[in-house]
Amino acid sequence: MDESYCETPATELPTGPETVDSGPPYAECVLCRKPTEYPESVKGITLCPVCEWQEAQRTACSG
C-alpha cells in the first residue's frame, strides 16, 4: 500500500479578508458578549458564530 496516499499536504489554512482584529468595530454577542461578524451599525440581535449555531440547533429541534 502506498503510504503517501493518506498523507495530507502541508498547506496553510486560508484566512478571510475580515477578522475581528481588522475592520470596523464589531458588535458584541447578546448572549456571551464576544465579538460578532457584524459591525456595530447592524440593527437587531447580534450573535457570535458559536451562539448563532447553538441557537439554530435549538430552533431546529424545537419543532
Side-chain angles (χ1 to χ4, degrees), residues 16-59:
E18 291 184 18
T19 61
V20 175
D21 296 333
S22 65
Y26 292 95
E28 286 185 344
C29 176
V30 296
L31 299 177
C32 69
R33 313 214 25 107
K34 289 184 181 178
T36 66
E37 298 175 335
Y38 306 104
E40 286 182 346
S41 61
V42 170
K43 303 286 186 220
I45 297 173
T46 54
L47 299 174
C48 71
V50 173
C51 292
E52 196 169 298
W53 182 76
Q54 289 174 344
E55 186 65 24
Q57 277 192 322
R58 279 193 287 274
T59 58

